[in-house]
Amino acid sequence: MPRFSIIVPVFKVQGFLRECLDSVLEQSYTDVEVIAVDDCSPDGCGAILDGYAARDPRVRVLHLPENVGLGRARNAGMPLATGDYLFFLDSDDTLTPGALRAVADRLDETADPDVLVFDYARTYWWGGTRRNVLARVLTEAGADTFSAADHPEILDLLMVVWNKVYRRAFVEREGFAFPPGYYEDTPWTFPVMLSAERIATLDRICLAYRQRRQGNILSTTSRKHFDIHDQYERVFAFVDSRPELSGWRPYLHHKMGEHCLDILSKNDRLPEEDKAEFFRLTAALFRKHRSGPVPAELRVLEGGFTRYRMRRQAGRAGRELVRRGRQVRRTAATRVRRGWSAVHEHRSLDPNLAVYSAFSHKGVLGDPAAVYAAARELAPHIRGVWVVRDEEQAALLPPETEHVLLDSLRYRQVTARATYFVNNVNWPGSLAKRPGSVHVHTHQGTPLKFMAADLLHKPGARHGLDVPQMLRRADRWDYSLVANRHSELVWDRAYPCHFTSLRSGSPRNDVLVRARPEDGEAVRARLGVPAGNRVVLYAPTRRDYVRGGHADRLDLARFADDLGGDHTLVVRLHPSLADGPARGMGLSELHRRGVVVDATDEPRVEDLMLASDALVTDYSALMFDYANLDRPIVLLADDWGAYAASRGAYFDITADAPGHVAGSQRELTWLFSSGGWRDGESARLRAGFRARFCEFDDGRAAERVVRTLMLGERAEDPAPAAPVPAQAGHDVLASS
């Protein structure tokens, strides 16, 4: 029999679930069982849970046939529990290191109380942490056990289920269970705490209470908050059924009034049109259960809603004047920026107008370009307009490409009417999302390094990056395109916004999946590659631990010489380094002399991939796309430790590599001279990498996006990664 049965209800938390489970299973105290209840979660949570259960016998998964809500999901897990104590852990929260050992020691010290209350800290999405402001109550309760009557201050703590552990025999004897509803913790916690004869406290932060930017059920504006009235009725009914608890009625009456007024005062809880009704029901409940004098702060419930509102407004008058002054200035500036769109917001959207942009308005590129091409073929009635940043970029567009310049009057006209917005970078903050518009965010590949909100713990990597502003812009997304489950999980976590993940595959990779052996010949000729030469593409990424981002990790001239005259080394720097000093450190001169080919300015990186026979990279996301070609990939990872420490990484690429890993230039050269770069082990590693990261890339991603999001059709799900046509006639695995 384990000491703890940790019951974890799970619903739509795939971005946080692994962290939650790891925080339990990696505890130094191991005498636990985890009962994970999949509340019919529509995302990847069920598969994640099954994976943990397969690896760790302490994990048991219960898949519910329908969604029942948080409280009843906990109920479903309780009959499976065999531990001495029940611990209800929400699936987006985490245990702190050493928490279970501390709880177990305190239980032993206090001879197994009915309930042990411990401390917690709120952890915010932007990186902040704040301890429970009433932590002193845990210390003041003393070292011995007590009842709520002995120390009623214990009820001043947050009345939630997850900051306590409960002796299972006590819970079963009393028949405690969670009711349905929004505020199910209230009719659990009060009865439990009032019934417990022996309560103990632990003045230690054992749980990190995640404050999600979006998705917190209690911060959702809806009528569901009316549920609080029914839950307090359950509390009073419980007290009425236990005559020995009748003395708690005045206290509960006070708590109920405070709780309901707190909900009413929050701007993000109740719809404005429902607040008067909520007040009236609260006042009626308050009168019904009144027992004793009414505290001054609750007398407002004895008057009407109008009086309550006037009192609230009077208290806010001074703050409102200051706020309005700032708002007026901001609004005036916004109207100037928005121009046409601010004036014409009342005009209806054009259902046959789509606006595209890529890489901060640099042209017809990447995923948006692939979606644009598919839309022209499959939905020719939808007019596509590209946003470019200036006339210089406009001159480089393909002939007859309709476009507008960023922030021009025409740009405002088009974006005010468009229904579809497709981009791989966030749209400018001045672009307001209109109801009915569909924003499709394609991203720029599979993430290895930390992104967005995950950068908040990496101050060097996010230097100059306004993460809150980035997330406000991401709030406009309706759909996020993903090529694999890894990306789906990362984007859910890194962008805590309301969007739907579409398992479409990466549209720009369609050309790689469908590639033929001859598809790169025109690019080779344009780059000046001698006929018959093998092309090695070198694509390094930027470093956050180096000023300017560039680090010379490879002696290009020497590597090109070591490859030999029958090889051509093509170099593509990270786009952020294209205009910096990196090329002047030797790359430009080597290109002029014909030692290497500098292809940094090539607009379509897909062309370079098609033209190459092998990829050498460090930690560039290009490797995830290149894997679709099923051609050899070699990693030069001589500074992985420094890179991962400074930027942050979602997994160790050196342990889950797409091919052989070189720790130095010498090792890299040996891999090519020995033929190891394309041996059987290289193919085995690449196959595993493709299965994981090219999961939804089946060559029909762009078509899937257009049919699903623009034409409203039900597209077929992506097929698993299949053999690549281009590989059948490619010679890189043949003997030299």
Side-chain angles (χ1 to χ4, degrees):
M1 178 185 296
R3 189 59 163 158
F4 298 109
S5 292
I6 301 179
I7 298 174
V8 185
V10 177
F11 183 73
K12 293 181 71 173
V13 288
Q14 62 179 5
F16 308 106
L17 182 55
R18 294 180 191 276
E19 186 179 358
C20 171
L21 296 174
D22 289 344
S23 77
V24 175
L25 300 175
E26 294 174 3
Q27 291 277 316
S28 59
Y29 189 89
T30 59
D31 190 16
V32 301
E33 64 178 2
V34 177
I35 301 169
V37 183
D38 173 15
D39 192 14
C40 202
S41 187
D43 55 9
C45 287
I48 293 173
L49 293 176
D50 289 340
Y52 273 82
R55 296 191 299 271
D56 195 318
R58 294 176 296 171
V59 179
R60 182 175 180 180
V61 181
L62 174 62
H63 295 283
L64 299 183
E66 61 180 2
N67 178 250
V68 298
L70 185 59
R72 286 187 287 181
R74 291 169 178 158
N75 289 342
M78 278 197 281
L80 305 180
T82 62
D84 297 329
Y85 279 84
L86 302 177
F87 191 145
F88 299 100
L89 178 64
D90 286 354
S91 50
D92 55 353
D93 295 336
T94 55
L95 299 185
T96 60
L100 291 182
R101 167 57 65 186
V103 172
D105 289 347
R106 181 64 174 143
L107 291 174
D108 291 343
E109 183 182 3
T110 53
D112 285 6
D114 295 326
V115 179
L116 173 69
V117 186
F118 52 79
D119 201 11
Y120 66 92
R122 297 174 187 265
T123 58
Y124 295 87
W125 65 269
W126 42 265
T129 301
R130 181 166 64 89
R131 188 177 187 180
N132 168 24
V133 296
L134 293 177
R136 57 173 178 75
V137 173
L138 300 173
T139 304
E140 293 169 355
D144 298 329
T145 60
F146 57 90
S147 68
D150 298 327
H151 289 286
E153 296 83 6
I154 196 69
L155 299 179
D156 292 334
L157 295 174
L158 191 63
M159 284 291 101
V160 291
V161 67
W162 42 257
N163 62 347
K164 309 169 185 71
V165 294
Y166 312 86
R167 190 164 57 87
R168 182 165 62 90
F170 162 66
V171 171
E172 292 177 349
R173 183 191 74 207
E174 298 293 335
F176 293 127
F178 292 91
Y182 231 35
Y183 289 87
E184 76 291 328
D185 281 12
T186 299
W188 166 280
T189 308
F190 279 118
V192 165
M193 295 298 285
L194 296 180
S195 301
E197 296 177 358
R198 300 179 64 247
I199 301 171
T201 61
L202 174 61
D203 183 20
R204 185 191 191 279
I205 296 174
C206 295
L207 183 139
Y209 175 31
R210 189 186 301 275
Q211 305 296 287
R212 294 169 66 178
R213 180 174 178 270
Q214 294 183 8
N216 186 333
I217 190 169
L218 293 183
S219 295
T220 304
T221 303
S222 77
R223 285 184 58 88
K224 291 183 178 180
H225 295 279
F226 280 74
D227 173 67
I228 191 64
H229 301 126
D230 290 338
Q231 304 297 9
Y232 270 101
E233 287 283 24
R234 290 187 171 100
V235 173
F236 283 112
F238 177 82
V239 171
D240 290 343
S241 71
R242 307 281 182 102
E244 70 275 14
L245 300 179
S246 61
W248 285 103
R249 286 187 61 86
Y251 176 86
L252 294 171
H253 181 252
H254 187 175
K255 278 290 184 182
M256 182 270 293
E258 282 185 339
H259 197 167
C260 292
L261 285 178
D262 181 65
I263 294 171
L264 187 59
S265 68
K266 296 289 185 8
N267 292 328
D268 60 354
R269 299 293 197 272
L270 295 161
E272 192 64 34
E273 63 273 15
D274 294 326
K275 289 184 176 181
E277 180 185 355
F278 185 89
F279 179 90
R280 288 193 296 271
L281 291 175
T282 298
L285 189 66
F286 194 73
R287 290 191 300 270
K288 176 181 177 181
H289 294 287
R290 178 173 176 173
S291 53
V294 176
E297 65 271 20
L298 298 180
R299 288 174 188 164
V300 66
L301 287 169
E302 297 181 323
F305 180 68
T306 301
R307 180 182 174 186
Y308 162 80
R309 172 156 283 182
M310 289 177 63
R311 185 174 176 179
R312 292 268 304 163
Q313 290 174 343
R316 291 193 307 232
R319 297 191 301 271
E320 185 69 9
L321 285 174
V322 175
R323 188 191 67 81
R324 285 186 178 181
R326 291 196 299 263
Q327 185 180 33
V328 166
R329 291 190 292 272
R330 285 197 301 266
T331 300
T334 300
R335 284 176 176 170
V336 169
R337 288 196 305 269
R338 289 184 179 176
W340 177 277
S341 56
V343 175
H344 292 269
E345 284 179 348
H346 65 281
R347 298 185 64 186
S348 60
L349 297 178
D350 183 345
N352 296 322
L353 178 58
V355 179
Y356 298 86
S357 181
F359 300 105
S360 299
H361 323 299
K362 291 184 179 179
V364 183
L365 302 167
D367 290 306
V371 175
Y372 169 73
R376 294 188 69 181
E377 177 183 349
L378 301 172
H381 60 284
I382 296 180
R383 173 178 155 226
V385 180
W386 282 85
V387 177
V388 292
R389 61 185 179 183
D390 51 37
E391 292 287 2
E392 183 178 351
Q393 291 293 333
L396 301 176
L397 293 174
E400 300 181 2
T401 300
E402 186 175 358
H403 67 277
V404 294
L405 300 183
L406 180 67
D407 285 335
S408 65
L409 175 60
R410 186 64 183 141
Y411 164 82
R412 298 184 185 90
Q413 292 173 338
V414 168
T415 55
R417 299 291 311 284
T419 293
Y420 304 103
F421 291 79
V422 183
N423 202 343
N424 64 3
V425 178
N426 266 328
W427 292 97
S430 58
L431 177 62
K433 175 172 168 49
R434 296 188 59 189
S437 62
V438 178
H439 282 241
V440 180
H441 193 76
T442 70
H443 302 283
Q444 295 182 37
T446 293
L448 169 63
K449 59 189 179 185
F450 278 9
M451 304 292 287
D454 288 332
L455 287 174
L456 291 168
H457 300 290
K458 297 290 182 181
R462 67 178 173 88
H463 179 68
L465 182 66
D466 188 342
V467 173
Q469 169 81 322
M470 175 187 296
L471 297 181
R472 284 192 293 272
R473 295 180 179 186
D475 284 334
R476 295 171 295 194
W477 301 354
D478 293 295
Y479 294 95
S480 164
L481 307 188
V482 296
N484 47 66
R485 295 171 207 266
H486 163 77
S487 295
E488 185 175 34
L489 292 173
V490 168
W491 299 141
D492 272 5
R493 176 191 177 93
Y495 291 94
C497 308
H498 289 301
F499 57 78
T500 299
S501 291
L502 182 66
R503 294 179 174 182
S504 58
S506 295
R508 70 183 181 282
N509 288 342
D510 289 347
V511 297
L512 304 180
V513 177
R514 299 196 302 257
R516 300 163 299 175
E518 64 272 18
D519 282 349
E521 293 303 322
V523 183
R524 287 175 177 242
R526 188 172 72 247
L527 296 176
V529 176
N533 264 27
R534 179 172 286 137
V535 174
V536 176
L537 174 62
Y538 174 53
T541 193
R542 65 174 292 118
R543 266 67 173 171
D544 290 291
Y545 67 86
V546 176
R547 186 180 297 276
H550 175 65
D552 284 318
R553 312 305 308 178
L554 188 62
D555 184 334
L556 296 176
R558 182 177 175 183
F559 184 49
D561 185 59
D562 289 339
L563 287 174
D566 58 347
H567 288 67
T568 298
L569 180 59
V570 176
V571 180
R572 182 181 178 82
L573 297 178
H574 190 276
S576 66
L577 303 176
D579 298 325
R583 297 162 97 170
M585 300 296 289
L587 178 57
S588 295
E589 176 64 12
L590 292 175
H591 175 77
R592 185 189 65 79
R593 290 166 44 199
V595 177
V596 303
V597 174
D598 178 9
T600 302
D601 291 334
E602 281 290 317
R604 285 173 44 88
V605 69
E606 298 89 349
D607 289 345
L608 298 179
M609 289 190 276
L610 289 169
S612 65
D613 298 294
L615 171 68
V616 174
T617 186
D618 36 39
Y619 325 116
S620 171
L622 196 70
M623 72 180 90
F624 298 101
D625 302 327
Y626 196 85
N628 281 286
L629 286 169
D630 201 16
R631 299 175 187 174
I633 302 172
V634 179
L635 295 189
L636 176 59
D638 59 331
D639 64 339
W640 171 247
Y643 180 89
S646 61
R647 174 69 193 216
Y650 292 111
F651 64 95
D652 184 353
I653 190 62
T654 64
D656 295 297
H660 288 296
V661 179
S664 65
Q665 178 160 348
R666 182 177 180 180
E667 291 181 13
L668 178 66
T669 299
W670 178 84
L671 281 170
F672 276 88
S673 63
S674 67
W677 63 285
R678 55 180 185 161
D679 62 9
E681 177 65 6
S682 170
R684 185 190 68 80
L685 291 170
R686 188 167 64 253
F689 193 82
R690 288 186 67 233
R692 180 178 177 186
F693 296 110
C694 303
E695 182 180 6
F696 305 140
D697 281 330
D698 62 353
R700 300 180 58 195
E703 174 189 350
R704 187 171 292 109
V705 171
V706 173
R707 292 192 182 280
T708 303
L709 304 184
M710 294 182 174
L711 298 178
E713 300 177 4
R714 180 176 176 81
E716 296 180 6
D717 292 334
V724 181
Q727 192 54 51
H730 212 261
D731 72 342
V732 292
L733 296 181
S735 300
S736 298

